[in-house]
Amino acid sequence: MKQGAQGSAGAEVPGVELPGGQVRVPQQAGAADAGRVRPGASAEVRGEHTHSEPAPPAAPRSRPVVQRSSVRGQIVDALRAALVAGDLRPGEVYSAPVLGERFGVSATPVREAMQQLALEGAVEVVPNRGFRVVERGARELAELAEVRALIEVPVMLRLARTVPAERWAELRPLAEATVRAASSGCRATYAESDRGFHRAVLSLSGNEQLVQVAEDLHRRAQWPLVGSGPGMRGRADLVADAHEHTALLDALIARDLDVVRALVGEHFAGAG
């Protein structure tokens, strides 16, 4: 600490040493040079701010990494797969604590995941009990197929006219992956692969909103019907459905619009 400066009354006032060896004199009432900093001090050193100069932001605090959203997302995916596979049966009520034990987590992320599925229309809340899997009939499935066709057929026909053959060829591995998934006989595995292929096709439109709407309809069309068991659609049905993807790619590459229209319509009609 350097020697203090003299105040106006002759009393010595302690000085505060600043970076660079400068000394700031604390303000005193009636002092002519109150709060003055020795010549050469900048506005930043003085701590002054103009109206155009925002105050410096507070130093950010380090926060722990929260994994809840990640856990909830995994539970959502697991519950969706269980719905498609028929492990969660239409009309049945499931509680969050019981499902939490099944997945090895607490009831909280399961409850949050079930709320997401409720927003999607897959389940409905049953007060003080849990969540009931929504019961759907053949009519709802037919309506979903009709809406999907109204959305996707015109888009695919437009893409068939504009997308070059080499771009369609790039989707061949995805189409072949659906065949392998269908061959496994697992409806949940095939459902995910099926959505992936359709999402890739529609993404060529460049319309992200369309892709999201179509995928939501597609996901709902994959839920089981009332009275259906895990094996309602057998392995042979899944394989036949998957081969329609490769046939659709062939038609798109050849720009055969009539075949594209027919294949997409049949594909949606038989998806349930």
Side-chain angles (χ1 to χ4, degrees):
M1 180 74 68
K2 290 191 177 181
Q3 185 177 2
Q6 295 293 326
S8 59
E12 183 172 329
V13 180
V16 179
E17 186 175 358
L18 299 176
Q22 299 168 342
V23 175
R24 178 162 59 95
V25 180
Q27 183 177 354
Q28 293 181 348
D33 57 350
R36 186 180 60 185
V37 180
R38 292 184 182 275
S42 65
E44 181 179 358
V45 172
R46 294 195 302 268
E48 297 174 359
H49 296 281
T50 65
H51 291 291
S52 61
E53 200 175 51
R61 293 183 177 180
S62 59
R63 296 182 178 180
V65 178
V66 178
Q67 299 293 338
R68 172 178 290 184
S69 59
S70 176
V71 173
R72 182 180 68 87
Q74 294 177 43
I75 299 300
V76 169
D77 291 340
L79 290 173
R80 286 171 175 166
L83 278 170
V84 175
D87 295 334
L88 298 180
R89 304 292 298 276
E92 295 292 329
V93 177
Y94 299 89
S95 69
V98 172
L99 290 175
E101 292 181 3
R102 171 178 174 178
F103 294 116
V105 298
S106 69
T108 298
V110 175
R111 192 174 291 109
E112 294 173 347
M114 279 296 206
Q115 293 288 353
Q116 175 62 37
L117 293 182
L119 291 176
E120 297 175 4
V123 301
E124 57 188 8
V125 178
V126 181
N128 302 321
R129 293 185 61 193
F131 301 85
R132 177 185 291 112
V133 178
V134 172
E135 298 178 278
R136 305 184 316 129
R139 177 174 180 176
E140 182 177 346
L141 188 61
E143 291 174 348
L144 286 169
E146 181 180 5
V147 175
R148 290 185 65 199
L150 289 172
I151 293 176
E152 296 192 37
V153 171
V155 175
M156 289 191 184
L157 291 175
R158 175 167 58 85
L159 294 176
R161 299 185 185 97
T162 57
V163 175
E166 55 269 21
R167 292 295 305 277
W168 292 122
E170 294 173 359
L171 301 186
R172 183 75 65 180
L174 290 176
E176 294 172 348
T178 65
V179 176
R180 291 192 298 272
S183 299
S184 72
C186 176
R187 291 173 58 189
T189 300
Y190 175 68
E192 183 176 357
S193 182
D194 184 26
R195 290 196 310 275
F197 173 78
H198 283 265
R199 182 169 57 248
V201 170
L202 295 177
S203 293
L204 294 177
S205 69
N207 189 329
E208 183 60 29
Q209 299 302 315
L210 180 145
V211 173
Q212 292 180 10
V213 170
E215 182 159 7
D216 178 65
L217 292 170
H218 193 168
R219 190 187 304 279
R220 295 179 63 181
Q222 293 172 332
W223 299 337
L225 301 178
V226 174
S228 64
M232 179 181 179
R233 297 189 72 198
R235 178 179 174 277
D237 296 324
L238 299 180
V239 170
D241 193 71
H243 278 298
E244 292 178 356
H245 294 148
T246 57
L248 176 61
L249 272 186
D250 292 338
L252 289 168
I253 291 173
R255 295 193 173 181
D256 191 331
L257 303 186
D258 290 336
V259 174
V260 170
R261 184 182 292 104
L263 281 173
V264 176
E266 293 173 4
H267 187 68
F268 290 161

